[in-house]
Amino acid sequence: MLLRTPTRARVVLVSAAIPTQKFTSEKQFPTLTVKTQQAVKILTVVGARPNFMKAAPIIRALRAHNAAGRTPRFQHLLVHTGQHYDAIMSDRFFADLELPEPDLHLGVGSGSHAEQTAEILRKFEEALRQEQPDVVIVVGDVNSTLACALAVAKFSANTSKRRPLLAHVEAGLRSFDREMPEEVNRVLTDHMADLLFVTEESGITNLRHEGIPASKVLFVGNTMIDSLLRFREKAQASSILQNLGLRETQNGLSGSPKNYALLTLHRPSNVDALESFRDILEGLSDLTRQIPVIFPVHPRTRRRIEEFGLQEYFSAPSPSSGIRLIDPLGYVDFVGIMQDARLVLTDSGGIQEETTCLGVPCVTLRENTERPVTVKRGTNVIGGTSSAGIRQAIAHQLARTVTPCVPEMWDGKAAERIVARLTHLVESESPVPVSE
Ligand code: UD1
């Protein structure tokens, strides 16, 4: 028995009866038939840092739908797997993003990928049995995404209950690099999902090439950008730049931000081997002589710096140069520091999208990206992981004049489109065709 965490407010269960669901064949549209007056029970999963900002707008849109008295009524439960558990990797994001407390916390924690995935799979199956949702929403590409998707896909095999519909938010992204754990998570989750919500056009093409029926796929935009647009003003008001001495204050008035760069690095392929990590740091050396580089450090990366004895790269930051290590930041402070940066250097996926939307030049410290729209239309360049490639990409970005160009449907309304689609599933027996 999983204990529900105490909640501040929860949507009331309208009826105890289990809805009748109708699953259609692969070629047809997924539909969900629920008796009148019955709430549709939706369970959204979050686990790791990049999930929180993708899930928050969906929860807000479901609540707005209910508050407006629209039908069907949604009963929503939030499940936290516990993949990320520290205050700075998890709790602070709940406060910043105004997320409700999780209704269920699986308390899984760290482990090898197999251990972590298996533990989430086992515990989430128990949650499914206990809660009997109609729809499960998973977001992004972390181990929690895959494990919970798999639990849903296998649910009917050992119970008499029908399995819930599985919705994947941020479907279709592909780096075509199967060495990347997230790529395996993306491909497998997409192939199990009933509803695939896509953030950029490449996602539609990738899913078509993999034989996923177009009827399951909907291009809705990007819920991570919904969060960015919602909290941008709050981020502007954050005191992070003053606190770090990156914005002067005179007579209580804020001056212009200083010329600085922002760095994030946490991918195992970049930081878990000494040579790769050192190559990247060497690639930054020209830049760090010119402007200060602020580096909020992921716990994994901090451990590697100590293990590999790389402290010399961070030993002498000054207000005008060097790399300055700081603790990981919350959402609002991170957006605050990102939007005024001269340049962002990252191996994260989401930051490539956020910098594109903000019009901030970005160098991706990887050999590929699963988010090609950020390079084709946005401000991102792929710098690779060799020192020479990184130096070249930085020089290119510093010399470039950026013309901001926000990708299609990154307009802050992705979550509304997702909720509209969920509504439509229930209301109509013959849904309208979705984009090819
Ligand atoms: C995970 C995601 C990655 C995402 C990243 C954001 C997968 C496969 N990877 O990687 O896609 O970009 O989150 O951070 O799901 N740790 C803590 N405190 C925490 C969480 C983790 O100290 O709250 C430490 C643990 O020692 C752990 C290590 O960080 O072993 C890595 O955490 P893990 O969740 O395994 O992967 P991430 O590298 O964070």
Side-chain angles (χ1 to χ4, degrees):
M1 176 75 178
L2 293 160
L3 288 181
R4 274 203 191 171
T5 46
T7 52
R8 288 191 294 247
R10 194 179 298 139
V11 181
V12 179
L13 182 62
V14 174
S15 161
I18 292 166
T20 348
Q21 294 173 17
K22 194 169 81 184
F23 291 93
T24 55
S25 75
E26 285 273 293
K27 291 217 162 48
Q28 293 173 294
F29 303 105
T31 60
L32 178 69
T33 314
V34 178
K35 289 172 193 150
T36 347
Q37 300 301 315
Q38 207 165 30
V40 176
K41 191 166 181 179
I42 298 188
L43 207 151
T44 302
V45 177
V46 291
R49 190 168 58 175
N51 292 160
F52 306 132
M53 52 295 257
K54 294 171 191 169
I58 302 170
I59 297 168
R60 191 169 298 111
L62 287 169
R63 286 179 161 184
H65 169 97
N66 279 348
R70 295 194 199 108
T71 54
R73 207 173 152 68
F74 293 113
Q75 185 204 358
H76 182 261
L77 294 181
L78 179 62
V79 178
H80 192 328
T81 64
Q83 178 175 345
H84 283 177
Y85 42 83
D86 283 348
I88 50 170
M89 297 296 282
S90 174
D91 302 359
R92 197 154 23 139
F93 286 81
F94 276 73
D96 275 6
L97 292 157
E98 296 162 15
L99 270 163
E101 294 283 321
D103 297 281
L104 286 174
H105 202 298
L106 306 185
V108 166
S110 300
S112 72
H113 280 236
E115 283 164 353
Q116 192 176 59
T117 308
E119 191 61 5
I120 300 168
L121 177 60
R122 196 180 66 74
K123 289 201 166 163
F124 191 64
E125 186 189 47
E126 219 179 314
L128 290 177
R129 248 193 246 118
Q130 179 176 302
E131 300 297 342
Q132 301 283 337
D134 300 307
V135 180
V136 171
I137 301 177
V138 294
V139 301
D141 56 14
V142 303
N143 287 343
S144 300
T145 313
L146 171 64
C148 294
L150 189 52
V152 173
K154 294 214 163 253
F155 189 60
S156 57
N158 51 10
T159 83
S160 57
K161 311 286 184 218
R162 284 191 183 277
R163 71 169 177 85
L165 285 179
L166 175 65
H168 183 206
V169 174
E170 198 188 87
L173 297 180
R174 296 289 182 269
S175 65
F176 304 102
D177 172 7
R178 292 282 174 107
E179 294 301 311
M180 195 181 176
E182 291 81 0
E183 180 75 351
V184 175
N185 294 345
R186 290 179 201 119
V187 172
L188 296 178
T189 302
D190 283 344
H191 282 254
M192 292 185 281
D194 303 295
L195 287 163
L196 297 97
F197 295 115
V198 172
T199 53
E200 63 165 277
E201 276 177 41
S202 72
I204 302 172
T205 313
N206 295 334
L207 293 172
R208 190 193 305 128
H209 289 164
E210 290 174 23
I212 307 248
S215 56
K216 293 180 171 186
V217 178
L218 186 61
F219 181 21
V220 290
N222 193 326
T223 62
M224 189 174 224
I225 300 302
D226 291 4
S227 282
L228 183 69
L229 297 178
R230 182 179 174 85
F231 291 105
R232 204 179 159 176
E233 262 180 44
K234 202 168 161 188
Q236 200 100 48
S238 148
S239 57
I240 185 70
L241 295 190
Q242 281 94 315
N243 297 348
L244 292 172
L246 296 170
R247 191 200 290 277
E248 309 296 349
T249 44
Q250 280 176 341
N251 307 326
L253 295 171
S254 296
S256 331
K258 279 193 183 164
N259 197 12
Y260 64 89
L262 175 66
L263 169 68
T264 82
L265 269 182
H266 74 280
R267 299 226 165 260
S269 57
N270 280 343
V271 301
D272 282 359
L274 171 61
E275 295 72 28
S276 322
F277 200 170
R278 204 168 36 204
D279 272 358
I280 292 174
L281 295 173
E282 288 294 331
L284 304 179
S285 57
D286 289 349
L287 178 72
T288 60
R289 277 193 287 272
Q290 296 170 50
I291 56 175
V293 176
I294 310 299
F295 185 12
V297 200
H298 186 284
R300 156 209 295 290
T301 310
R302 192 178 280 280
R303 269 205 315 273
R304 297 294 177 251
I305 291 170
E306 283 152 22
E307 271 170 41
F308 296 150
L310 291 171
Q311 293 92 336
E312 62 174 301
Y313 286 94
F314 313 99
S315 60
S318 79
S320 56
S321 66
I323 305 181
R324 183 158 158 203
L325 293 183
I326 59 171
D327 281 337
L329 294 169
Y331 182 72
V332 168
D333 286 343
F334 190 82
V335 174
I337 201 169
M338 179 166 54
Q339 62 189 352
D340 277 323
R342 170 92 191 277
L343 181 66
V344 172
L345 307 129
T346 189
D347 61 1
S348 146
I351 294 172
Q352 297 169 47
E353 296 180 337
E354 289 167 336
T355 46
T356 280
C357 187
L358 294 168
V360 174
C362 175
V363 173
T364 292
L365 302 170
R366 285 170 43 192
E367 301 297 341
N368 52 49
T369 180
E370 60 288 334
R371 291 157 159 96
V373 77
T374 63
V375 176
K376 271 194 217 133
R377 312 232 4 232
T379 54
N380 187 22
V381 299
I382 304 300
T385 51
S386 73
S387 313
I390 293 169
R391 268 196 209 103
Q392 212 177 351
I394 291 173
H396 168 82
Q397 287 291 57
L398 290 178
R400 172 184 179 191
T401 315
V402 168
T403 323
C405 180
V406 176
E408 200 184 338
M409 286 218 250
W410 289 16
D411 57 0
K413 296 192 173 127
E416 282 174 31
R417 294 186 191 103
I418 290 170
V419 172
R421 179 65 164 130
L422 294 175
T423 304
H424 190 74
L425 279 177
V426 178
E427 285 182 339
S428 170
E429 292 284 328
S430 53
V432 287
V434 291
S435 44
E436 188 70 26

